């Protein structure tokens, strides 16, 4: 018996401060569908500097008031799909998929609340 794939909460972010930083991009929330905002209105994606053993490609950080919250929310890890990365929150309670546009100016985040799996092939087919 297979379980139904849950519907993700979809967050669409647009890049702000384009070109201001070399290894970090800042994004501002545009829309949320299928639920309420699970992140913050501002996020930043920064390139990994090879400091973590988990070796993600990027890190996502959320905004708490007027400061970037530490520790970072999650690392962004490569998937088999182009421009799509995966991560998790709350110790593998929530699965998060990140889909960048070709120019990386738009970031769509698929937040699967209370759902985590290592096999994301069916999820990749639904978001590509």
């Amino acid at each position: 018996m297979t379980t139904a794939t849950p519907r993700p909460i979809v967050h669409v972010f647009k890049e702000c401060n384009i070109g201001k930083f070399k290894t970090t991009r800042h994004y501002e929330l545009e829309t949320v569908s299928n639920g309420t905002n699970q992140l913050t209105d501002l996020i930043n994606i920064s390139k990994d500097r090879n400091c973590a053993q988990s070796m993600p490609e990027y890190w996502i950080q959320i905004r708490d008031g007027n400061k970037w919250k530490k520790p970072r929310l999650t690392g962004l890890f490569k998937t088999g799909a182009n421009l799509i990365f995966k991560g998790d929150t709350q110790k593998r309670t929530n699965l998060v998929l990140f889909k960048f546009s070709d120019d990386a100016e738009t970031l769509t985040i698929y937040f699967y609340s209370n759902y985590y799996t290592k096999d994301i092939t069916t999820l990749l087919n639904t978001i590509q």
Side-chain angles (χ1 to χ4, degrees), residues 62-108:
I62 58 175
R63 191 84 169 176
D64 185 17
N66 62 351
K67 294 186 178 195
W68 294 109
K69 189 171 182 180
K70 293 213 176 185
R72 292 178 168 89
L73 184 64
T74 185
L76 279 66
F77 298 89
K78 286 184 178 181
T79 62
N82 192 26
L83 300 174
I84 299 177
F85 296 86
K86 68 177 179 176
D88 64 80
T89 64
Q90 298 176 348
K91 298 183 180 178
R92 296 186 180 155
T93 302
N94 307 309
L95 178 67
V96 188
L97 297 179
F98 303 84
K99 183 178 180 182
F100 290 91
S101 63
D102 290 334
D103 57 5
E105 288 185 12
T106 303
L107 170 61
T108 307

Side-chain angles (χ1 to χ4, degrees), residues 8-76:
I9 300 169
V10 181
H11 302 74
V12 178
F13 288 87
K14 293 283 185 189
E15 186 177 8
C16 54
N17 298 334
I18 297 173
K20 187 172 180 180
F21 302 99
K22 204 174 211 177
T23 59
T24 302
R25 290 181 180 241
H26 294 92
Y27 291 89
E28 191 170 8
L29 183 65
E30 291 278 312
T31 61
V32 177
S33 57
N34 296 335
T36 59
N37 188 0
Q38 300 296 306
L39 304 167
T40 57
D41 290 345
L42 290 173
I43 61 170
N44 93 31
I45 305 288
S46 57
K47 188 122 177 83
D48 180 48
R49 295 181 182 153
N50 298 326
C51 296
Q53 286 183 330
S54 56
M55 299 294 290
E57 292 294 311
Y58 302 97
W59 290 96
I60 181 172
Q61 207 167 3
I62 58 175
R63 191 84 169 176
D64 185 17
N66 62 351
K67 294 186 178 195
W68 294 109
K69 189 171 182 180
K70 293 213 176 185
R72 292 178 168 89
L73 184 64
T74 185
L76 279 66

